[in-house]
Amino acid sequence: MTKAEGGATDELKGVIERFLEYLRVERQLSVNTRSAYGRNLNDMAEQLNELSLTAWSALTINHVRGIATRMHKNGLSPRSIATKLSALRSFCDWLILQGQLPANPARGVSAPKQGRPLPKNLDVDELHQLMNIDESDPLAVRDRAMMELMYSSGLRLAELVDLNMGDIQFDERQVRVIGKGNKERVLPVGRMALEWLDKWLAVRPALAGAEEFALFVSQRQRRISHRSVQLRLAEWGGKQSLPSHIHPHKLRHSFATHMLESSGDLRAVQELLGHADLATTQIYTHLDFQHLANAYDSAHPRAKRDKD
């Protein structure tokens, strides 16, 4: 860096120091918050100086876009870029109050979109570990029955909680659920889930009120709540020493992933999950969606297209 460049950077950072003092005195922000502002703004000041900015009053939207692009090319995550741009927006609002800017040039610039993180599933060994529950306690029997059913049939939390006694058809090995948009699905139920549902129904009368039709009930003798299911699954994850947080959607996602890995039938998994769009099913998998879709289209008799 040349002397002139160093002087320009010092001038930019000098204004930042006054802004940090404003945050301390007027806004009374914590030391940690002010330090974060300082780090982000000083880093951006250095980059802006490399784009030939020598005074904050000359800052334009092109400067802001330029440093956002540079940060992205240098591998900074979208979240970190968004944090830095947020700091710059607050700083520019203050510059407007100081009469150094007529408008906020950072308002028109956004960080690159953050990729939607894939949900993590449990592998088969972890599922066995989770389900290794002593059946002597009625609540433990209930919890294992719920988990077996969620994993067996890929149920949503709301679908599980809303189940009534008549929705399980043991002879047909099926469960009837009402999903999103009030759409009904009839799903297969696996052997282990049926076995534990049978055990649960044997002890359920000790917990359920006489007029209660809900399949799964709490100690209060009424339909179990969404929150109770979430808490019980998290508790079992801890008891069984699993490395990740256990929640209802993780069982649904594990069902989808394991089904797709073993069958490769994306559209069958779509039907089981109750998705209106195949693209939604893709989000539940770690597999290559296009490859699976192409394989299905080329192999399934009713998916093949006539060749011209």
Side-chain angles (χ1 to χ4, degrees):
M1 180 182 292
T2 66
K3 182 176 181 180
E5 289 173 335
T9 303
D10 289 343
E11 182 178 340
L12 294 175
K13 291 185 176 181
V15 180
I16 293 172
E17 289 301 318
R18 295 200 296 274
F19 172 65
L20 297 178
E21 182 65 8
Y22 158 78
L23 296 181
R24 184 185 72 83
V25 176
E26 300 294 334
R27 298 277 303 280
Q28 297 185 347
L29 297 185
S30 69
V31 173
N32 289 338
T33 301
R34 298 198 308 272
S35 296
Y37 268 106
R39 286 192 304 273
N40 288 320
L41 292 172
N42 284 322
D43 177 59
M44 298 182 90
E46 292 180 2
Q47 296 189 55
L48 285 165
N49 187 230
E50 293 175 9
L51 294 176
S52 301
L53 182 78
T54 58
W56 289 111
S57 58
L59 183 68
T60 67
I61 191 171
N62 288 332
H63 286 115
V64 181
R65 285 174 178 160
I67 58 172
T69 300
R70 286 162 65 102
M71 289 187 290
H72 184 58
K73 287 182 177 178
N74 289 335
L76 202 63
S77 70
R79 185 181 297 276
S80 295
I81 296 173
T83 299
K84 290 182 181 296
L85 288 174
S86 176
L88 185 60
R89 290 188 196 101
S90 297
F91 177 56
C92 288
D93 283 340
W94 177 77
L95 289 175
I96 293 171
L97 293 175
Q98 302 302 305
Q100 295 192 41
L101 282 175
N104 193 329
R107 290 286 173 196
V109 181
S110 58
K113 290 185 178 179
Q114 299 182 36
R116 184 171 182 174
L118 288 171
K120 294 181 180 179
N121 64 284
L122 295 167
D123 62 34
V124 175
D125 289 338
E126 289 173 329
L127 277 161
H128 285 317
Q129 185 176 338
L130 174 64
M131 303 292 189
N132 185 23
I133 293 174
D134 182 2
E135 61 182 273
S136 62
D137 173 21
L139 290 180
V141 174
R142 179 203 62 190
D143 293 347
R144 179 160 180 183
M146 290 193 302
M147 291 189 286
E148 291 281 5
L149 184 57
M150 277 189 281
Y151 175 64
S152 167
S153 305
L155 301 187
R156 297 180 176 96
L157 173 59
E159 293 169 348
L160 177 88
V161 168
D162 289 345
L163 287 175
N164 291 322
M165 293 288 288
D167 292 329
I168 298 292
Q169 302 163 21
F170 281 88
D171 291 342
E172 291 79 13
R173 298 186 176 185
Q174 294 176 340
V175 58
R176 172 185 171 274
V177 301
I178 304 298
K180 289 185 177 180
N182 206 34
K183 293 181 180 179
E184 178 180 319
R185 303 196 315 283
V186 177
L187 303 170
V189 181
R191 179 184 60 82
M192 289 297 293
L194 287 171
E195 179 181 324
W196 280 89
L197 282 167
D198 192 49
K199 290 179 180 180
W200 160 240
L201 292 179
V203 299
R204 179 182 176 276
L207 292 173
E211 302 299 321
E212 182 56 70
F213 295 106
L215 177 60
F216 295 110
V217 296
S218 69
Q219 294 185 81
R220 297 180 179 180
Q221 298 191 330
R222 57 175 181 256
R223 188 181 300 274
I224 196 169
S225 68
H226 292 65
R227 185 59 179 157
S228 292
V229 176
Q230 293 169 332
L231 290 173
R232 293 292 289 185
L233 264 62
E235 183 179 335
W236 279 114
K239 285 182 178 179
Q240 306 299 70
S241 302
L242 289 167
S244 60
H245 175 65
I246 304 300
H247 51 84
H249 185 71
K250 181 162 287 190
L251 292 177
R252 176 172 159 86
H253 172 61
S254 299
F255 158 82
T257 303
H258 296 165
M259 284 290 295
L260 194 50
E261 286 175 342
S262 61
S263 70
D265 195 334
L266 190 65
R267 283 166 176 78
V269 175
Q270 175 196 3
E271 291 294 326
L272 290 169
L273 291 172
H275 289 158
D277 194 325
L278 269 176
T280 308
T281 311
Q282 176 199 6
I283 297 171
Y284 285 73
T285 73
H286 298 287
L287 305 180
D288 181 56
F289 167 70
Q290 192 59 51
H291 168 74
L292 287 168
N294 290 340
Y296 180 92
D297 288 336
S298 64
H300 196 285
R302 294 185 65 82
K304 292 180 180 178
R305 298 179 181 178
D306 295 332
K307 294 183 179 180
D308 295 332

